[in-house]
Amino acid sequence: MPAFLLRRNVAARQEPSHRGNYQTTAARFTRVAVRRGAATAPEQAPAAVDAVAFESFLLDTQKQILAEAEHLDGSGQKFLTDRWERPNGTGYGITCVLEGGNLLEKAAANISIIKGTLSAARAQSMSSRGRSQIDPAGGQPYSAAALSLVFHPVHPLVPTLRADVRLFQVAGCSWFGGGCDLTPSYLFEQDAAEFHGYWQGVCGKYSPELYAEHKAWCDRYFFIPARKEHRGIGGLFF
């Protein structure tokens, strides 16, 4: 859990000195001018991805996030859990929501594990983005697994955090996707630097180009043409 969430919660009683100027911050921290054309589809993962292992990873990660978020919140409030099932054994989900905490006004950490058959509309959309393995007519079986987070804070000094990671499998092929982004109401440059520095470190373990590539994708998504600025301080998409 990012340290600045707790730091800003402690500082919440102090009067903020300025509102966030995201366009200025972009120039310093979050707007690398790398491939600002149309977003490309994520690279295809190897066909032999272990979906069962990924499902276990999601379940374990969700438990860790819930425990750490409850500890960080410090109010004694707990995540309420709602497990749901799809008909005919086509999947399940675990929705976990905490409300009315000291730090977290409302936070959700949700898992969905599903399988089904591609509709023609969805198959056409995927094949049009360069997925040559997808039959545009639809009808192919698929499976998907995902964990998504949305954390809304009590106080405006604490930023809103959103993240997700997912695996999609069809036609013997697998794709990973996801991202993480931060939207503060008030800008603290230390927070922006810490947030992006963390993800740069993660990406740098695999390739020096990954961070700039995935961050640029996120920047494109959150650009607001009418205002000529980006929403929040960005993050990364993959």
Side-chain angles (χ1 to χ4, degrees), residues 101-154:
N102 288 340
L103 171 62
L104 300 170
E105 179 183 38
K106 190 170 186 178
N110 304 328
I111 281 178
S112 58
I113 311 291
I114 63 173
K115 57 184 178 180
T117 302
L118 283 180
S119 66
R122 188 171 186 185
Q124 290 170 10
S125 175
M126 293 182 66
S127 63
S128 68
R129 297 197 300 269
R131 308 295 196 191
S132 60
Q133 303 85 356
I134 307 300
D135 182 353
Q140 292 172 294
Y142 75 89
S143 63
L147 169 63
S148 61
L149 313 176
V150 181
F151 284 9
H152 291 284
V154 172

Short mmCIF file of all heavy atoms in Angstrom, two decimals, residues 101-154:
data_model
loop_
_atom_site.label_atom_id
_atom_site.label_comp_id
_atom_site.label_asym_id
_atom_site.label_seq_id
_atom_site.Cartn_x
_atom_site.Cartn_y
_atom_site.Cartn_z
N GLY A 101 -14.77 4.25 6.72
CA GLY A 101 -13.55 4.13 7.52
C GLY A 101 -12.97 5.49 7.87
O GLY A 101 -13.52 6.54 7.54
N ASN A 102 -11.83 5.46 8.57
CA ASN A 102 -11.13 6.70 8.90
C ASN A 102 -10.36 7.25 7.71
O ASN A 102 -10.32 8.47 7.50
CB ASN A 102 -10.14 6.45 10.05
CG ASN A 102 -10.84 6.24 11.38
OD1 ASN A 102 -12.00 6.63 11.55
ND2 ASN A 102 -10.15 5.60 12.31
N LEU A 103 -9.76 6.38 6.94
CA LEU A 103 -9.00 6.76 5.74
C LEU A 103 -9.81 6.55 4.47
O LEU A 103 -9.80 7.38 3.57
CB LEU A 103 -7.70 5.96 5.67
CG LEU A 103 -6.88 6.06 4.38
CD1 LEU A 103 -6.41 7.49 4.15
CD2 LEU A 103 -5.70 5.10 4.42
N LEU A 104 -10.52 5.43 4.42
CA LEU A 104 -11.23 5.03 3.21
C LEU A 104 -12.73 5.28 3.37
O LEU A 104 -13.39 4.64 4.19
CB LEU A 104 -10.97 3.56 2.92
CG LEU A 104 -9.50 3.19 2.69
CD1 LEU A 104 -9.32 1.68 2.66
CD2 LEU A 104 -8.99 3.82 1.40
N GLU A 105 -13.25 6.20 2.57
CA GLU A 105 -14.69 6.43 2.57
C GLU A 105 -15.41 5.23 1.96
O GLU A 105 -16.41 4.76 2.49
CB GLU A 105 -15.02 7.69 1.76
CG GLU A 105 -16.52 7.98 1.69
CD GLU A 105 -16.81 9.18 0.82
OE1 GLU A 105 -16.15 9.36 -0.22
OE2 GLU A 105 -17.72 9.95 1.18
N LYS A 106 -14.87 4.74 0.84
CA LYS A 106 -15.39 3.52 0.22
C LYS A 106 -14.28 2.90 -0.61
O LYS A 106 -13.64 3.58 -1.41
CB LYS A 106 -16.60 3.82 -0.67
CG LYS A 106 -17.33 2.57 -1.15
CD LYS A 106 -18.66 2.92 -1.80
CE LYS A 106 -19.44 1.66 -2.15
NZ LYS A 106 -20.77 1.99 -2.75
N ALA A 107 -14.06 1.62 -0.40
CA ALA A 107 -13.00 0.91 -1.11
C ALA A 107 -13.52 -0.44 -1.55
O ALA A 107 -14.28 -1.09 -0.83
CB ALA A 107 -11.78 0.73 -0.21
N ALA A 108 -13.12 -0.84 -2.75
CA ALA A 108 -13.55 -2.14 -3.28
C ALA A 108 -12.36 -2.87 -3.86
O ALA A 108 -11.50 -2.27 -4.51
CB ALA A 108 -14.61 -1.95 -4.35
N ALA A 109 -12.30 -4.19 -3.60
CA ALA A 109 -11.29 -5.07 -4.18
C ALA A 109 -12.03 -6.31 -4.66
O ALA A 109 -12.41 -7.16 -3.85
CB ALA A 109 -10.22 -5.42 -3.16
N ASN A 110 -12.25 -6.41 -5.97
CA ASN A 110 -13.16 -7.40 -6.52
C ASN A 110 -12.47 -8.37 -7.46
O ASN A 110 -11.60 -7.98 -8.25
CB ASN A 110 -14.30 -6.71 -7.28
CG ASN A 110 -15.04 -5.70 -6.42
OD1 ASN A 110 -15.17 -5.88 -5.22
ND2 ASN A 110 -15.52 -4.64 -7.04
N ILE A 111 -12.89 -9.61 -7.40
CA ILE A 111 -12.37 -10.66 -8.29
C ILE A 111 -13.52 -11.21 -9.12
O ILE A 111 -14.65 -11.37 -8.62
CB ILE A 111 -11.73 -11.80 -7.48
CG1 ILE A 111 -10.32 -11.41 -7.02
CG2 ILE A 111 -11.67 -13.10 -8.28
CD1 ILE A 111 -9.63 -12.46 -6.19
N SER A 112 -13.24 -11.51 -10.39
CA SER A 112 -14.19 -12.23 -11.23
C SER A 112 -13.43 -13.29 -12.03
O SER A 112 -12.38 -13.00 -12.60
CB SER A 112 -14.94 -11.28 -12.16
OG SER A 112 -14.04 -10.56 -12.99
N ILE A 113 -13.97 -14.50 -12.03
CA ILE A 113 -13.41 -15.63 -12.76
C ILE A 113 -14.54 -16.20 -13.61
O ILE A 113 -15.49 -16.79 -13.07
CB ILE A 113 -12.87 -16.73 -11.82
CG1 ILE A 113 -11.97 -16.13 -10.73
CG2 ILE A 113 -12.17 -17.83 -12.61
CD1 ILE A 113 -10.66 -15.59 -11.22
N ILE A 114 -14.49 -16.01 -14.92
CA ILE A 114 -15.62 -16.40 -15.76
C ILE A 114 -15.17 -17.11 -17.03
O ILE A 114 -14.00 -17.01 -17.43
CB ILE A 114 -16.48 -15.17 -16.15
CG1 ILE A 114 -15.67 -14.19 -16.99
CG2 ILE A 114 -17.04 -14.48 -14.91
CD1 ILE A 114 -16.49 -13.04 -17.54
N LYS A 115 -16.11 -17.82 -17.63
CA LYS A 115 -15.88 -18.42 -18.94
C LYS A 115 -17.18 -18.39 -19.72
O LYS A 115 -18.27 -18.32 -19.13
CB LYS A 115 -15.36 -19.85 -18.82
CG LYS A 115 -16.24 -20.78 -18.02
CD LYS A 115 -15.58 -22.15 -17.87
CE LYS A 115 -16.43 -23.10 -17.04
NZ LYS A 115 -15.79 -24.43 -16.88
N GLY A 116 -17.06 -18.41 -21.04
CA GLY A 116 -18.26 -18.32 -21.86
C GLY A 116 -17.91 -18.48 -23.33
O GLY A 116 -16.87 -19.04 -23.69
N THR A 117 -18.77 -17.94 -24.19
CA THR A 117 -18.59 -18.01 -25.63
C THR A 117 -18.62 -16.60 -26.20
O THR A 117 -19.49 -15.80 -25.85
CB THR A 117 -19.71 -18.84 -26.27
OG1 THR A 117 -19.72 -20.15 -25.70
CG2 THR A 117 -19.50 -18.95 -27.77
N LEU A 118 -17.65 -16.29 -27.05
CA LEU A 118 -17.57 -14.95 -27.63
C LEU A 118 -18.78 -14.66 -28.51
O LEU A 118 -19.13 -15.46 -29.39
CB LEU A 118 -16.30 -14.82 -28.47
CG LEU A 118 -14.97 -14.61 -27.75
CD1 LEU A 118 -13.85 -14.50 -28.77
CD2 LEU A 118 -15.00 -13.38 -26.87
N SER A 119 -19.40 -13.53 -28.27
CA SER A 119 -20.47 -13.08 -29.16
C SER A 119 -19.85 -12.55 -30.44
O SER A 119 -18.65 -12.21 -30.49
CB SER A 119 -21.29 -11.98 -28.49
OG SER A 119 -20.49 -10.81 -28.29
N ALA A 120 -20.65 -12.44 -31.48
CA ALA A 120 -20.15 -11.93 -32.75
C ALA A 120 -19.65 -10.50 -32.61
O ALA A 120 -18.60 -10.13 -33.17
CB ALA A 120 -21.24 -12.02 -33.82
N ALA A 121 -20.38 -9.67 -31.84
CA ALA A 121 -19.98 -8.27 -31.68
C ALA A 121 -18.62 -8.16 -31.00
O ALA A 121 -17.76 -7.38 -31.41
CB ALA A 121 -21.05 -7.51 -30.90
N ARG A 122 -18.44 -8.94 -29.92
CA ARG A 122 -17.17 -8.87 -29.21
C ARG A 122 -16.04 -9.45 -30.05
O ARG A 122 -14.92 -8.93 -30.05
CB ARG A 122 -17.27 -9.61 -27.88
CG ARG A 122 -16.06 -9.41 -27.00
CD ARG A 122 -16.27 -9.98 -25.61
NE ARG A 122 -15.16 -9.67 -24.73
CZ ARG A 122 -15.06 -10.12 -23.48
NH1 ARG A 122 -16.01 -10.87 -22.98
NH2 ARG A 122 -14.02 -9.79 -22.74
N ALA A 123 -16.32 -10.54 -30.76
CA ALA A 123 -15.30 -11.15 -31.60
C ALA A 123 -14.86 -10.20 -32.71
O ALA A 123 -13.67 -10.08 -33.01
CB ALA A 123 -15.83 -12.45 -32.18
N GLN A 124 -15.80 -9.49 -33.31
CA GLN A 124 -15.46 -8.54 -34.36
C GLN A 124 -14.61 -7.40 -33.81
O GLN A 124 -13.66 -6.95 -34.46
CB GLN A 124 -16.74 -8.00 -35.00
CG GLN A 124 -17.49 -9.02 -35.84
CD GLN A 124 -18.86 -8.54 -36.25
OE1 GLN A 124 -19.20 -7.37 -36.07
NE2 GLN A 124 -19.67 -9.44 -36.80
N SER A 125 -14.95 -6.95 -32.60
CA SER A 125 -14.18 -5.87 -31.98
C SER A 125 -12.74 -6.32 -31.73
O SER A 125 -11.80 -5.57 -31.98
CB SER A 125 -14.85 -5.43 -30.68
OG SER A 125 -14.08 -4.47 -30.00
N MET A 126 -12.57 -7.53 -31.22
CA MET A 126 -11.23 -8.02 -30.92
C MET A 126 -10.42 -8.28 -32.19
O MET A 126 -9.25 -7.92 -32.27
CB MET A 126 -11.32 -9.31 -30.09
CG MET A 126 -11.89 -9.11 -28.70
SD MET A 126 -11.92 -10.65 -27.75
CE MET A 126 -10.16 -10.96 -27.55
N SER A 127 -11.04 -8.88 -33.18
CA SER A 127 -10.31 -9.19 -34.42
C SER A 127 -9.92 -7.93 -35.17
O SER A 127 -8.88 -7.89 -35.84
CB SER A 127 -11.15 -10.10 -35.31
OG SER A 127 -12.35 -9.45 -35.72
N SER A 128 -10.72 -6.87 -35.02
CA SER A 128 -10.40 -5.61 -35.69
C SER A 128 -9.19 -4.93 -35.08
O SER A 128 -8.61 -4.03 -35.68
CB SER A 128 -11.61 -4.67 -35.65
OG SER A 128 -11.86 -4.23 -34.31
N ARG A 129 -8.80 -5.35 -33.85
CA ARG A 129 -7.62 -4.77 -33.20
C ARG A 129 -6.38 -5.64 -33.40
O ARG A 129 -5.43 -5.54 -32.64
CB ARG A 129 -7.89 -4.57 -31.71
CG ARG A 129 -9.02 -3.59 -31.40
CD ARG A 129 -8.97 -3.12 -29.95
NE ARG A 129 -9.11 -4.22 -29.01
CZ ARG A 129 -10.28 -4.64 -28.52
NH1 ARG A 129 -11.41 -4.07 -28.91
NH2 ARG A 129 -10.34 -5.62 -27.64
N GLY A 130 -6.42 -6.49 -34.41
CA GLY A 130 -5.24 -7.27 -34.75
C GLY A 130 -5.17 -8.64 -34.11
O GLY A 130 -4.11 -9.29 -34.18
N ARG A 131 -6.25 -9.13 -33.53
CA ARG A 131 -6.27 -10.47 -32.94
C ARG A 131 -6.62 -11.48 -34.03
O ARG A 131 -7.77 -11.82 -34.24
CB ARG A 131 -7.30 -10.55 -31.82
CG ARG A 131 -7.21 -9.49 -30.76
CD ARG A 131 -5.92 -9.58 -29.98
NE ARG A 131 -5.99 -8.81 -28.74
CZ ARG A 131 -4.96 -8.54 -27.98
NH1 ARG A 131 -3.76 -8.97 -28.34
NH2 ARG A 131 -5.10 -7.85 -26.87
N SER A 132 -5.61 -11.94 -34.73
CA SER A 132 -5.85 -12.82 -35.87
C SER A 132 -6.40 -14.18 -35.46
O SER A 132 -6.98 -14.90 -36.28
CB SER A 132 -4.54 -13.01 -36.65
OG SER A 132 -3.54 -13.60 -35.83
N GLN A 133 -6.24 -14.54 -34.18
CA GLN A 133 -6.74 -15.83 -33.71
C GLN A 133 -8.25 -15.82 -33.48
O GLN A 133 -8.85 -16.88 -33.29
CB GLN A 133 -6.05 -16.23 -32.40
CG GLN A 133 -4.54 -16.31 -32.49
CD GLN A 133 -3.88 -14.94 -32.28
OE1 GLN A 133 -4.55 -13.93 -32.13
NE2 GLN A 133 -2.55 -14.94 -32.24
N ILE A 134 -8.85 -14.65 -33.47
CA ILE A 134 -10.28 -14.52 -33.17
C ILE A 134 -11.10 -14.62 -34.44
O ILE A 134 -10.85 -13.91 -35.42
CB ILE A 134 -10.57 -13.18 -32.47
CG1 ILE A 134 -9.66 -13.00 -31.25
CG2 ILE A 134 -12.03 -13.08 -32.07
CD1 ILE A 134 -9.82 -14.06 -30.20
N ASP A 135 -12.09 -15.50 -34.41
CA ASP A 135 -13.02 -15.62 -35.53
C ASP A 135 -14.05 -14.49 -35.43
O ASP A 135 -14.80 -14.42 -34.45
CB ASP A 135 -13.72 -16.98 -35.46
CG ASP A 135 -14.68 -17.21 -36.63
OD1 ASP A 135 -14.90 -16.28 -37.42
OD2 ASP A 135 -15.21 -18.33 -36.72
N PRO A 136 -14.12 -13.59 -36.40
CA PRO A 136 -15.06 -12.47 -36.32
C PRO A 136 -16.51 -12.89 -36.21
O PRO A 136 -17.36 -12.11 -35.76
CB PRO A 136 -14.81 -11.70 -37.63
CG PRO A 136 -13.46 -12.12 -38.08
CD PRO A 136 -13.30 -13.53 -37.63
N ALA A 137 -16.82 -14.12 -36.59
CA ALA A 137 -18.20 -14.61 -36.49
C ALA A 137 -18.59 -14.96 -35.06
O ALA A 137 -19.78 -15.15 -34.77
CB ALA A 137 -18.39 -15.83 -37.39
N GLY A 138 -17.61 -15.03 -34.15
CA GLY A 138 -17.90 -15.39 -32.77
C GLY A 138 -18.03 -16.89 -32.59
O GLY A 138 -17.74 -17.68 -33.49
N GLY A 139 -18.43 -17.28 -31.39
CA GLY A 139 -18.65 -18.69 -31.10
C GLY A 139 -17.50 -19.41 -30.44
O GLY A 139 -17.64 -20.58 -30.05
N GLN A 140 -16.35 -18.76 -30.30
CA GLN A 140 -15.21 -19.42 -29.66
C GLN A 140 -15.33 -19.35 -28.14
O GLN A 140 -15.71 -18.32 -27.58
CB GLN A 140 -13.90 -18.75 -30.09
CG GLN A 140 -13.54 -18.96 -31.55
CD GLN A 140 -12.34 -18.11 -31.96
OE1 GLN A 140 -12.43 -16.88 -31.97
NE2 GLN A 140 -11.24 -18.75 -32.29
N PRO A 141 -14.99 -20.43 -27.44
CA PRO A 141 -15.00 -20.38 -25.97
C PRO A 141 -13.86 -19.52 -25.45
O PRO A 141 -12.78 -19.47 -26.05
CB PRO A 141 -14.82 -21.84 -25.57
CG PRO A 141 -14.14 -22.48 -26.72
CD PRO A 141 -14.63 -21.76 -27.95
N TYR A 142 -14.09 -18.85 -24.35
CA TYR A 142 -13.06 -18.01 -23.73
C TYR A 142 -13.14 -18.14 -22.21
O TYR A 142 -14.14 -18.60 -21.65
CB TYR A 142 -13.24 -16.55 -24.12
CG TYR A 142 -14.39 -15.85 -23.41
CD1 TYR A 142 -14.20 -15.22 -22.18
CD2 TYR A 142 -15.68 -15.85 -23.96
CE1 TYR A 142 -15.26 -14.60 -21.52
CE2 TYR A 142 -16.73 -15.24 -23.30
CZ TYR A 142 -16.51 -14.62 -22.08
OH TYR A 142 -17.56 -14.03 -21.42
N SER A 143 -12.09 -17.71 -21.54
CA SER A 143 -12.08 -17.59 -20.08
C SER A 143 -11.38 -16.29 -19.71
O SER A 143 -10.53 -15.80 -20.45
CB SER A 143 -11.36 -18.77 -19.43
OG SER A 143 -9.99 -18.81 -19.82
N ALA A 144 -11.78 -15.74 -18.58
CA ALA A 144 -11.20 -14.47 -18.13
C ALA A 144 -11.13 -14.47 -16.61
O ALA A 144 -12.01 -15.00 -15.93
CB ALA A 144 -12.05 -13.30 -18.62
N ALA A 145 -10.07 -13.87 -16.09
CA ALA A 145 -9.88 -13.74 -14.65
C ALA A 145 -9.33 -12.35 -14.37
O ALA A 145 -8.42 -11.89 -15.08
CB ALA A 145 -8.93 -14.81 -14.13
N ALA A 146 -9.87 -11.69 -13.35
CA ALA A 146 -9.44 -10.31 -13.09
C ALA A 146 -9.58 -9.95 -11.62
O ALA A 146 -10.45 -10.47 -10.92
CB ALA A 146 -10.26 -9.34 -13.93
N LEU A 147 -8.71 -9.05 -11.18
CA LEU A 147 -8.79 -8.40 -9.88
C LEU A 147 -8.78 -6.91 -10.11
O LEU A 147 -7.90 -6.40 -10.82
CB LEU A 147 -7.60 -8.80 -8.99
CG LEU A 147 -7.39 -8.01 -7.69
CD1 LEU A 147 -8.56 -8.19 -6.74
CD2 LEU A 147 -6.08 -8.43 -7.02
N SER A 148 -9.76 -6.19 -9.54
CA SER A 148 -9.82 -4.74 -9.73
C SER A 148 -9.97 -4.05 -8.38
O SER A 148 -10.61 -4.57 -7.46
CB SER A 148 -11.01 -4.36 -10.63
OG SER A 148 -12.24 -4.78 -10.05
N LEU A 149 -9.36 -2.86 -8.29
CA LEU A 149 -9.38 -2.08 -7.05
C LEU A 149 -9.84 -0.66 -7.35
O LEU A 149 -9.43 -0.07 -8.35
CB LEU A 149 -7.98 -1.98 -6.44
CG LEU A 149 -7.12 -3.22 -6.30
CD1 LEU A 149 -5.75 -2.81 -5.75
CD2 LEU A 149 -7.78 -4.21 -5.38
N VAL A 150 -10.66 -0.11 -6.46
CA VAL A 150 -10.98 1.32 -6.46
C VAL A 150 -11.04 1.75 -4.99
O VAL A 150 -11.88 1.26 -4.24
CB VAL A 150 -12.31 1.63 -7.16
CG1 VAL A 150 -12.55 3.14 -7.14
CG2 VAL A 150 -12.32 1.12 -8.59
N PHE A 151 -10.16 2.68 -4.60
CA PHE A 151 -10.10 3.17 -3.23
C PHE A 151 -10.39 4.67 -3.22
O PHE A 151 -9.61 5.46 -3.75
CB PHE A 151 -8.71 2.92 -2.63
CG PHE A 151 -8.46 1.49 -2.22
CD1 PHE A 151 -9.33 0.48 -2.56
CD2 PHE A 151 -7.33 1.16 -1.50
CE1 PHE A 151 -9.10 -0.84 -2.20
CE2 PHE A 151 -7.08 -0.15 -1.12
CZ PHE A 151 -7.97 -1.17 -1.47
N HIS A 152 -11.52 5.04 -2.62
CA HIS A 152 -11.90 6.44 -2.48
C HIS A 152 -11.65 6.88 -1.04
O HIS A 152 -12.21 6.29 -0.11
CB HIS A 152 -13.37 6.66 -2.84
CG HIS A 152 -13.67 6.47 -4.29
ND1 HIS A 152 -13.34 7.42 -5.25
CD2 HIS A 152 -14.26 5.46 -4.97
CE1 HIS A 152 -13.72 6.99 -6.43
NE2 HIS A 152 -14.27 5.80 -6.30
N PRO A 153 -10.86 7.93 -0.83
CA PRO A 153 -10.52 8.36 0.53
C PRO A 153 -11.60 9.24 1.16
O PRO A 153 -12.46 9.79 0.47
CB PRO A 153 -9.23 9.14 0.33
CG PRO A 153 -9.42 9.76 -1.02
CD PRO A 153 -10.16 8.73 -1.84
N VAL A 154 -11.51 9.38 2.46
CA VAL A 154 -12.41 10.28 3.20
C VAL A 154 -12.05 11.73 2.93
O VAL A 154 -12.92 12.57 2.66
CB VAL A 154 -12.33 9.99 4.71
CG1 VAL A 154 -13.10 11.04 5.51
CG2 VAL A 154 -12.88 8.60 5.02
#
